[in-house]
Amino acid sequence: MFQDKVISGIIKKAIALSLIIIGILAIFLKEPKPYILGMIFGSSINILSFILMGKTTKKAVLMKPSKAYSYTLGNYFIRYAIYFVVLFVAAKANYINFLTTVLGFFIIKIVILSSAIYESIKEAIKQKESR
């Protein structure tokens, strides 16, 4: 239950961050469509990959170690094959911006790192106030 809440919280923050970036792109760029499509393409694939990773982890924990290893390794290669196809399409298609697609791939990582930094700063301020 707790794990599902954490995962859904990360996904909600990733969607919110993606929408903020899309809004900024729409406001500041003259022809934003390829950039916005790249951001949507990259971030949606990244979020789906994150969900797949969570499901893989849940299932692998219940397996024998030897089976879990091959199962997680197989899913790892599937996720990276998907990333390869998405990057290949973004590089070849002139209606999708490659750089914003790559940025979309980092949305989950950005959310997790920024949340960790935020919590560390919040904890440091709390400790400083309690002195």
Side-chain angles (χ1 to χ4, degrees), residues 3-81:
Q3 182 184 16
D4 293 336
K5 272 187 171 181
V6 171
I7 289 173
S8 66
I10 290 170
I11 291 169
K12 287 175 187 175
K13 289 175 185 175
I15 292 170
L17 179 59
S18 295
L19 291 174
I20 290 168
I21 293 170
I22 288 169
I24 291 169
L25 292 170
I27 291 169
F28 290 108
L29 295 176
K30 193 171 187 170
E31 294 291 326
K33 189 176 178 182
Y35 299 95
I36 290 172
L37 288 176
M39 189 66 201
I40 291 170
F41 196 37
S43 59
S44 61
I45 294 298
N46 187 243
I47 291 168
L48 291 172
S49 177
F50 182 66
I51 292 168
L52 179 62
M53 194 182 324
K55 290 181 185 273
T56 300
T57 305
K58 279 183 181 180
K59 194 170 179 181
V61 167
L62 302 174
M63 295 179 172
K64 293 180 182 178
S66 60
K67 266 196 158 193
Y69 176 77
S70 59
Y71 176 73
T72 54
L73 189 64
N75 275 284
Y76 176 82
F77 283 119
I78 290 170
R79 283 195 315 275
Y80 278 92

Side-chain angles (χ1 to χ4, degrees), residues 66-100:
S66 60
K67 266 196 158 193
Y69 176 77
S70 59
Y71 176 73
T72 54
L73 189 64
N75 275 284
Y76 176 82
F77 283 119
I78 290 170
R79 283 195 315 275
Y80 278 92
I82 292 168
Y83 281 149
F84 172 78
V85 170
V86 169
L87 288 173
F88 183 79
V89 169
K92 292 293 181 183
N94 60 354
Y95 57 90
I96 298 174
N97 182 271
F98 182 79
L99 292 177
T100 55

